[in-house]
């Protein structure tokens, strides 16, 4: 008979190669800050033979498990979840706009009771409430402020006048089937380089996969940039019925050189902006921490960033480009916006991983879990 364990089993997936720091920042935050005991397990390392001997009060399924199809859970992990009927299961999701039917079926099959989603509450009735029996939905953002990032921002800090890059950016091409919003990551880079190339600015703007930067190399890059470009995270086509991707695949197989505009006209137009799925990105918190003046496409940014308070807004039709350049070249404007962003995003506890995990713990306590703790941490918080 399995031994009951009070606490959280956190299942996640992380390749043993360089990757964006955000995954492990999130995983490590639960171990650092939760009042519940946390045992974290990287499914990349395989299934532990003794795991079936333990029945955990809570199983947390991290978003890194669901980044690809099939999920990063082998048959042994799936069987373990099926046998953990008494565990309270929580799933975190990101990149939720495709493979929806599989995700919905997974949630119901494994009786997941709580989902953390980037979908905003106004859209719940069109997504999880319509297609699953999940009883609790919590909206969250895809990245928070870590103590390590703030420490490195201080370590690598350079005054604005000592930074060699006027405008920096790294992005990647997203598939066409994700809609017009998904193309903004490359669109802003390509068009800015074209329009600003002869304006006396030192640009370091790239969209190629081989130009991506990770770990401390990425932070050193930010520390050397006076300003950075940016867009909202997320996409503008939410493939709720899993029909858009197959249609796109058929079209692309017939014409590998098909343009985005042709894809949009033939497939995407009826689905564009069908479910709102845009959010602030971890990049915006990084830029605030490293005091980069942000030049961003206009957007909502989860209600956190405000134009000309935290960033210079660039219209998506580029009609205010000349004004953007004027503001960008003004050191006093850059100083004001970067200071506002730092004070309101970084110098506060509101968007820290510590606060995120505290709020997560409160959700568990409200669900009646961990009541024997008497409201006190089960181990020291570091």
């Amino acid at each position: 008979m399995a031994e009951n364990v009070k606490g959280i089993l956190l299942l996640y997936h992380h390749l043993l190669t360089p990757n964006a720091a955000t995954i492990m920042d999130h995983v490590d935050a639960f171990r650092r800050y939760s009042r519940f005991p946390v045992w974290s397990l990287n499914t990349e390392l395989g299934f532990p033979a003794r795991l079936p001997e333990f029945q955990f009060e809570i199983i947390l399924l991290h978003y890194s498990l669901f980044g690809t199809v099939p999920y990063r859970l082998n048959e042994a992990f799936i069987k373990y979840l099926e046998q953990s009927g008494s565990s309270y299961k929580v799933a975190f999701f990101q990149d939720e706009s495709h493979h929806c039917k599989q995700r919905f079926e997974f949630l119901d099959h494994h009786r997941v009771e709580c989902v953390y989603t980037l979908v905003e509450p106004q859209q719940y009735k069109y997504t999880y409430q319509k297609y699953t029996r999940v009883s609790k939905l919590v909206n969250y953002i895809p990245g928070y402020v870590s103590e390590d990032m703030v420490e490195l921002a201080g370590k690598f800090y350079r005054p604005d006048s000592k930074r060699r890059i006027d405008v920096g950016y790294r992005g990647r091409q997203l598939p066409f089937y994700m809609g017009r919003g998904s193309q903004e990551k490359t669109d802003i880079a390509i068009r800015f380089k074209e329009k600003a190339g002869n304006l006396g600015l030192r640009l370091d703007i790239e969209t190629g996969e081989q130009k991506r930067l990770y770990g401390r190399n990425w932070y050193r890059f930010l520390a050397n940039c006076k300003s950075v470009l940016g867009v909202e995270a997320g996409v503008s086509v939410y493939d709720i019925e899993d029909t858009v991707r197959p249609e796109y695949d058929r079209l692309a197989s017939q014409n590998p050189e098909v343009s985005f505009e042709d894809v949009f006209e033939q497939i995407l137009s009826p689905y564009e902006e069908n479910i709102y799925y845009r959010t602030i990105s971890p990049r915006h918190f990084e830029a605030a921490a490293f005091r980069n003046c942000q030049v961003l496409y206009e957007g909502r940014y989860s209600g956190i960033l405000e134009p000309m308070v935290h960033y210079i807004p660039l219209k998506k039709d580029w009609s205010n480009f000349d004004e953007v350049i004027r503001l960008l070249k003004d050191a006093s404007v850059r100083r004001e916006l970067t200071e506002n962003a730092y004070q309101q995003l970084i110098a506060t506890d509101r968007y820290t991983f510590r606060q995120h995990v505290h709020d997560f713990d409160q959700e568990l306590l409200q669900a009646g879990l961990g009541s024997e703790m008497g409201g006190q941490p089960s181990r020291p918080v570091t």
Side-chain angles (χ1 to χ4, degrees):
M1 190 177 204
E3 176 185 347
N4 291 323
V5 180
K6 295 294 184 181
I8 300 170
L9 173 64
L10 192 167
L11 299 179
Y12 71 99
H13 180 264
H14 194 261
L15 293 170
L16 306 180
T17 55
N19 206 335
T22 52
I23 292 176
M24 290 312 301
D25 282 346
H26 195 229
V27 170
D28 291 340
F30 292 97
R31 296 187 297 214
R32 284 187 177 189
Y33 305 127
S34 180
R35 65 170 59 230
F36 292 80
V38 176
W39 290 263
S40 56
L41 200 165
N42 184 0
T43 62
E44 173 73 4
L45 302 178
F47 185 82
R50 295 193 60 194
L51 185 58
E53 298 176 18
F54 304 96
Q55 180 83 35
F56 287 84
E57 180 184 22
I58 302 152
I59 298 178
L60 190 164
L61 302 165
H62 191 257
Y63 67 80
S64 55
L65 299 170
F66 307 108
T68 61
V69 173
Y71 297 150
R72 299 294 189 172
L73 293 161
N74 63 28
E75 291 184 10
F77 281 110
I78 292 295
K79 183 178 179 181
Y80 179 76
L81 290 178
E82 291 174 345
Q83 294 175 344
S84 300
S86 64
S87 298
Y88 183 87
K89 300 185 184 73
V90 183
F92 278 74
F93 287 114
Q94 295 186 16
D95 301 318
E96 299 159 85
S97 62
H98 50 285
H99 302 302
C100 294
K101 287 186 176 180
Q102 178 169 334
R103 181 167 61 256
F104 298 152
E105 290 171 1
F106 177 92
L107 293 171
D108 281 350
H109 179 76
H110 293 289
R111 290 180 286 178
V112 175
E113 297 180 68
C114 178
V115 164
Y116 277 70
T117 173
L118 305 186
V119 174
E120 293 190 349
Q122 302 93 311
Q123 307 297 321
Y124 289 170
K125 61 183 177 181
Y126 305 118
T127 53
Y128 292 98
Q129 289 177 346
K130 182 176 180 179
Y131 294 95
T132 77
R133 296 189 297 274
V134 172
S135 58
K136 181 68 175 180
L137 296 166
V138 182
N139 175 250
Y140 79 118
I141 57 178
Y144 294 86
V145 178
S146 72
E147 293 177 4
D148 292 343
M149 181 184 71
V150 175
E151 181 181 343
L152 287 171
K155 177 179 179 180
F156 294 150
Y157 174 77
R158 295 182 185 184
D160 182 273
S161 60
K162 300 294 184 182
R163 301 186 183 203
R164 293 187 295 104
I165 302 167
D166 289 310
V167 185
Y169 182 71
R170 289 295 186 273
R172 59 161 47 134
Q173 178 73 55
L174 292 180
F176 289 168
Y177 63 82
M178 295 182 180
R180 198 174 294 283
S182 71
Q183 303 308 298
E184 292 175 0
K185 288 188 176 184
T186 48
D187 177 71
I188 194 172
I190 293 168
R191 296 185 69 177
F192 199 94
K193 286 178 74 172
E194 289 175 351
K195 296 176 75 68
N198 297 318
L199 299 180
L201 295 170
R202 290 164 292 183
L203 307 179
D204 191 339
I205 300 171
E206 301 289 348
T207 58
E209 190 67 30
Q210 72 280 5
K211 295 292 187 177
R212 290 181 67 81
L213 299 169
Y214 296 103
R216 295 197 172 198
N217 288 335
W218 170 244
Y219 290 145
R220 290 189 180 96
F221 173 76
L222 290 179
N224 204 25
C225 293
K226 294 180 180 179
S227 62
V228 293
L229 304 177
V231 303
E232 285 183 293
V235 300
S236 55
V237 169
Y238 200 108
D239 194 5
I240 195 74
E241 299 287 351
D242 291 341
T243 56
V244 177
R245 174 71 181 274
E247 288 185 46
Y248 168 77
D249 287 343
R250 282 193 295 271
L251 180 60
S253 66
Q254 296 166 4
N255 180 10
E257 302 301 320
V258 66
S259 69
F260 174 78
E261 292 302 329
D262 285 341
V263 172
F264 188 86
E265 181 179 344
Q266 296 182 47
I267 299 174
L268 303 180
S269 180
Y271 303 97
E272 184 74 7
E273 303 289 357
N274 58 338
I275 292 173
Y276 184 81
Y277 192 66
R278 307 302 296 274
T279 179
I280 195 170
S281 160
R283 290 277 187 93
H284 302 118
F285 290 103
E286 291 171 343
F290 282 81
R291 298 179 185 270
N292 308 122
C293 180
Q294 301 185 60
V295 178
L296 309 179
Y297 270 161
E298 290 181 323
R300 286 167 54 180
Y301 297 96
S302 303
I304 296 172
L305 299 181
E306 298 181 38
M308 292 312 299
V309 176
H310 307 111
Y311 69 95
I312 299 173
L314 173 60
K315 293 183 180 297
K316 294 181 183 180
D317 65 5
W318 292 73
S319 60
N320 69 330
F321 176 74
D322 291 343
E323 175 67 3
V324 167
I325 294 299
R326 184 189 70 79
L327 293 169
L328 185 61
K329 288 184 174 182
D330 188 329
S332 65
V333 170
R334 295 199 306 271
R335 182 165 55 251
E336 179 182 354
L337 297 182
T338 55
E339 182 63 21
N340 287 345
Y342 187 89
Q343 291 300 324
Q344 296 178 37
L345 274 68
I346 307 302
T348 175
D349 289 335
R350 184 175 181 183
Y351 304 110
T352 62
F353 277 106
R354 181 189 295 271
Q355 184 62 48
H356 170 54
V357 175
H358 170 78
D359 293 343
F360 172 78
D361 285 351
Q362 291 302 116
E363 291 287 349
L364 294 181
L365 293 170
Q366 289 176 17
L369 300 156
S371 57
E372 72 285 348
M373 295 179 185
Q376 296 300 318
S378 61
R379 61 188 177 91
V381 176
T382 58

